[in-house]
Structures are given as C-alpha cells and as structure tokens.
Amino acid sequence: MTQYSAVRTTGIYCRPGCPARPDPRNVRHFDQPAAAEAAGFRACLRCRPYRTAPGVSWSGPELVCRAVQLVLDGALDHGNEDGLGARIGVSARHLRRLFHEHVGATPDQLARSRRTHFARRLLDDTDLTVTDIAHAAGFGSVRQLNRACVEIFCATPRELRARRRRADRLVADGGLALRLPHPGELDWPTVLAFLAPRAIPGVEHVDLTAATYRRTIEVDGDAGVLELQPCDDEHLLLRLHLPHWEELIHLVQRARRIVNLDLDLHAARVHLAGDPLLGPLVRAHPGRAVPGTWDPFETGVRAIAGQQVSVAGATTLTGRIATELGRPVPGLEPLGLTHLFPSADCLAGTDLSGLGFTAARASAIAGFATAVRDDRIRLDRSAPLDEFVASVTAVAGLGPWTAHYLAYRLGEPDAFPAGDLGLRRAVTPPGAERMATERDLTARADSWRPWRALAATHLWTSAAAAPTAALRPAS
C-alpha cells in the first residue's frame, strides 16, 4: 500500500521514492492523498504524488475499506454520502465518523481529491480542453474544477497545464492515450496469457504479438473501444476510442480493474513470502498480478458457461451469446471486435437453450442475470465476501467455485475457489498417494488469508493449470 509522507515544516506531502530527505521527526504519514490535503498539506512538485493512483489498504475495518473502494470507483459522482452509507448498511453520519477516524478525510473530500487528481493527469498527458477535462473528471462545471484545483494545487487548470513537463504529453496515433500507474513490477504477459483463451469472441481480443488487450465498451448508450498495452516500468498505456469524454474518470477506473491494479500486491507478497510453498513463487515472480475484469456480469456469465466444459468450449458458448444477443458494432472487424455484450436485463428473460447450452446451464445464466438485475447479487464489491458468495450460491445451479471465481476476478483479495482441481493438484506433494482434497486445501490456505487470491494466481500459473471449472460440479 502506498503511504504518503507529509512534512510539517514545509506543508508538502510526497509519495515514496521522492528525493527529498526531511527530518523524520517532522513527518506524518497518510494512506490517502485526500487525508494529507484535508490536514492542510499540498502535493510535492518534484515527485508529483497526484500521478500515482491511491489504492485501498485492507488492514483497517472492512466496512471502511469497501466504502473507500466504492468512492474511488465513483459512488459519489452521481450519489451522496447518504446513499453510500445505505449501500454498506450504516448512516451517513456514522460513515463520516469512521472515515474521519480511519481515513483522515470525509467521503466527499476523498471523492473531490480523486476527481481533481484525475483532472491534473489529463492536463499533463492530453490536449483536451479545460472544459472537456472538467466533464471527463466528473465536475459539473469548469468553475468547480477551477475551485478544486486552486484549493488542492494552489493554481488554476490553465496555470497547471502551462507547468507540465514535455515528456508528460502523450501523442496517440488514434484515440485518447492515458497512463495507468501501477506500483512496482507488473507481469503483463502472464495476465495476457490468462485473458487470451477466455476472451469472448467479438467482445474482447488479445493480440499476444503486440501484447495488447482490447474490447468493446458502452458509454451512455454509445459504443467505444478500449486498448491496454505496456508503457514503461510504472505504467500501462490505456487508449480509448470514445464518442464523448463524459464519464472518462469512471472508464479509467474500470480499466484499472482489468488487471486489478488497486490490489495491494506489496502487502500480499510480504504476507505470503514466508510460506514454504508460496514464498519461492512470490520471490521468483514479484510482478504476478490477479487478473480482473471490465464487466463483472459478463465474466459471471462466462464462468457459468464454463461449468463442466473446457475453457475453449466456454469461450465458444459465450461468444454465441454475444453474437446472437449482443448489439452489433460495425467497423471494428479489423480489431477483432464486432459486438457489445448483452446486459443483465437482456439475459434475464432469454432462453439460451437454443445456443448449445443445456437446460440447467441456460436456467443458471438466466437466474444469475435476474439476480444481478434485481440487485440481489451486487457486483460493485459493496458486500463482504461471505455475503457475496451466499448471494451467488443462492441461484440454482451455482456453487462455491463459481462464486469464488467471480469474486476473484472482481478483485476480492481473499477469494479462493478451494474446490478447483488445478489448485488441489498444485498443493499436492510430488509422489503423494492421493491428490489433496478440497478440505485439505482449505485448511492449507487458512494461513494465506487475507490474500488467498494472489496465492491462487501463483498456484495456477506455477502448475500451468488454469481454473478448471470443467472438472467441478455445478454446485
């Protein structure tokens, strides 16, 4: 977890690695830039902490961690603290009290800091107008953006743009190019190797030669395209082809979740490093990340389609859903893209048995879609892991494997499909008379909490064994 250092004598806060060397007696530490700003500190001009992405430390109360994640995902851009509190089951007053105690800033202050930092990165990296940036960052007007920039950066947007460094500006051959910061090393090829066989035909495409992931996206009813590829040691390059810039801040945050860039990999690696099985794997592959998802509903449908069939078979079946029920997007065939994936509303009332699904699997997908539509399954990570698993397994035909695998792709740090054959095989000692059972694996993994998702990633990749839903029962 990135910890920001603030110096009382200068009134400046920095990110780790800043060349400044203040007296440690004058330093305070904050987990969020918003907390440093709420305490009266301003961003360092040398290390520019606004160019990193604040994450979530899961060391505090889980309710606060989930609320922080929801704010970073944009929960307050179209809502308020009352609605956020209701989403996680507390009053707005109690929520603010918890934030003051554990975060150091209110939910609204965290949301405003997030929007302003995003706008500052757009001022550096792009040639978008200040008006476009205000809307892209979630501000209601240029005046609101001006006020926030002056309060947080002590300068107007135009003054900030005049200060940008020449190397910051990204020039793209097409679309809007942005940097996605990630802390430390990132094993992008392994992520692509995981995503490639699972890419839904027409909706997603992985070009292993160009090390690029691309997919169709929907923005306020209009179609667009997203591309991810390596940039440098600290960033992925995100390229967006969009019909308009509104909601850009939300699209960028969702793009980060394709690779779970907000997962605290450093804390997870430190926790797992002492384990005799996982320690060598973590040290050998420090950049290995947990694959995420752009669209949790789409991933859930694909996971259900993958029950008791091969990975290739599940990809084919899910591609039929996209082709037959998704919205066509013409002109993208050269990119390997043709459709938007259908929504939960669409699949909730659709019989899929004619697309090659068994009656039970078609019913399970329809039940999952209905539960998502009715908010009985919440895909925004507002529910604790146990509650989420219970909501998924409440749908007929869906068991713990599907629930934990979906939670794993959602970015739940402790999700762990203990019944997976690949994981059981990976923990079975060579020459053992029998393979480890689900109970054996669950007991073995208890010491890996709360970072079992990263443990699963290392075990799958080390054994060259993908998640094996095909060999698991449906429930």
Side-chain angles (χ1 to χ4, degrees):
M1 179 69 194
T2 299
Q3 197 171 56
Y4 301 85
S5 302
V7 185
R8 295 183 181 92
T9 52
T10 63
I12 291 172
Y13 75 91
C14 304
R15 63 170 171 166
C18 182
R21 293 292 180 266
D23 187 331
R25 293 172 297 181
N26 296 325
V27 175
R28 293 178 60 188
H29 297 287
F30 298 91
D31 287 337
Q32 294 286 341
E37 292 157 5
F41 295 93
R42 65 185 187 278
C44 174
L45 297 179
R46 298 173 72 181
C47 67
R48 302 188 295 172
Y50 65 87
R51 295 192 65 80
T52 62
V56 180
S57 171
W58 290 88
S59 59
E62 182 178 353
L63 184 147
V64 176
C65 296
R66 292 192 181 280
V68 169
Q69 185 67 67
L70 289 171
V71 172
L72 296 179
D73 287 344
L76 295 184
D77 291 348
H78 299 293
N80 54 35
E81 291 181 350
D82 289 325
L84 176 61
R87 189 67 177 168
I88 59 175
V90 298
S91 68
R93 181 178 180 181
H94 185 53
L95 181 66
R96 285 192 293 272
R97 186 183 303 117
L98 290 172
F99 265 62
H100 178 74
E101 179 180 353
H102 297 285
V103 180
T106 68
D108 278 334
Q109 286 174 326
L110 179 61
R112 187 188 63 164
S113 175
R114 161 186 164 272
R115 287 192 291 266
T116 310
H117 285 213
F118 182 74
R120 179 75 189 268
R121 293 199 296 273
L122 292 182
L123 288 166
D124 284 352
D125 293 355
T126 77
D127 289 331
L128 292 176
T129 67
V130 172
T131 300
D132 283 340
I133 289 174
H135 294 304
F139 288 96
S141 66
V142 174
R143 179 177 296 179
Q144 289 182 6
L145 173 61
N146 281 338
R147 186 184 306 120
C149 285
V150 170
E151 291 178 2
I152 291 179
F153 296 119
C154 300
T156 66
R158 298 187 187 283
E159 290 170 338
L160 294 173
R161 170 158 279 172
R163 298 176 187 171
R164 71 174 171 180
R165 302 174 187 177
R166 181 175 299 177
D168 289 338
R169 181 174 177 268
L170 288 170
V171 180
D173 294 334
L176 176 70
L178 299 169
R179 296 180 181 91
L180 296 187
H182 56 79
E185 185 179 346
L186 177 66
D187 189 351
W188 176 242
T190 299
V191 174
L192 281 186
F194 182 95
L195 296 175
R198 295 164 181 80
I200 300 173
V203 176
E204 302 173 282
H205 180 74
V206 175
D207 185 340
L208 292 175
T209 302
T212 299
Y213 169 87
R214 63 175 61 96
R215 63 164 296 125
T216 56
I217 61 175
E218 186 172 358
V219 187
D220 291 337
D222 298 317
V225 173
L226 169 155
E227 295 179 286
L228 277 177
Q229 57 188 173
C231 180
D232 55 42
D233 291 342
E234 295 183 345
H235 302 87
L236 286 177
L237 182 66
L238 169 66
R239 184 174 284 109
L240 293 161
H241 305 265
L242 303 174
H244 43 77
W245 304 122
E246 290 82 357
E247 306 295 325
L248 179 61
I249 187 171
H250 302 140
L251 303 182
V252 172
Q253 181 63 18
R254 286 184 67 180
R256 292 181 59 80
R257 297 181 70 169
I258 295 173
V259 200
N260 272 320
L261 293 183
D262 294 325
L263 185 68
D264 192 351
L265 283 178
H266 174 72
R269 288 194 296 264
V270 169
H271 182 80
L272 299 174
D275 185 86
L277 175 61
L278 289 170
L281 300 177
V282 170
R283 288 188 290 273
H285 306 283
R288 193 145 288 170
V290 178
T293 178
W294 166 266
D295 183 350
F297 172 71
E298 171 189 292
T299 299
V301 171
R302 199 205 172 285
I304 299 169
Q307 292 177 345
Q308 301 184 2
V309 300
S310 66
V311 171
T315 298
T316 298
L317 289 170
T318 316
R320 290 176 189 168
I321 294 178
T323 301
E324 297 297 324
L325 301 173
R327 181 175 135 202
V329 184
L332 301 181
E333 290 82 1
L335 299 178
L337 305 174
T338 59
H339 287 78
L340 293 168
F341 197 77
S343 66
D345 286 343
C346 175
L347 294 188
T350 302
D351 180 9
L352 301 177
S353 57
L355 299 181
F357 291 91
T358 64
R361 202 66 63 242
S363 176
I365 291 176
F368 173 72
T370 301
V372 171
R373 181 196 64 188
D374 297 342
D375 204 33
R376 287 184 281 115
I377 294 177
R378 301 190 314 205
L379 299 176
D380 60 0
R381 294 183 60 191
S382 60
L385 177 60
D386 289 346
E387 290 183 18
F388 177 80
V389 170
S391 70
V392 174
T393 55
V395 176
L398 304 187
W401 188 96
T402 303
H404 272 274
Y405 174 73
L406 179 54
Y408 168 86
R409 296 291 300 276
L410 278 171
E412 284 290 344
D414 205 37
F416 192 74
D420 186 83
L421 181 62
L423 294 180
R424 290 167 50 202
R425 183 184 295 124
V427 300
T428 301
E433 294 182 358
R434 64 173 181 85
M435 184 184 300
T437 65
E438 182 173 348
R439 179 176 295 182
D440 294 334
L441 179 55
T442 300
R444 180 72 178 81
D446 193 59
S447 63
W448 304 337
R449 291 179 179 273
W451 305 108
R452 293 186 301 174
L454 183 61
T457 302
H458 278 284
L459 292 175
W460 274 325
T461 51
S462 68
T468 50
L471 301 176
R472 288 291 303 148
S475 60

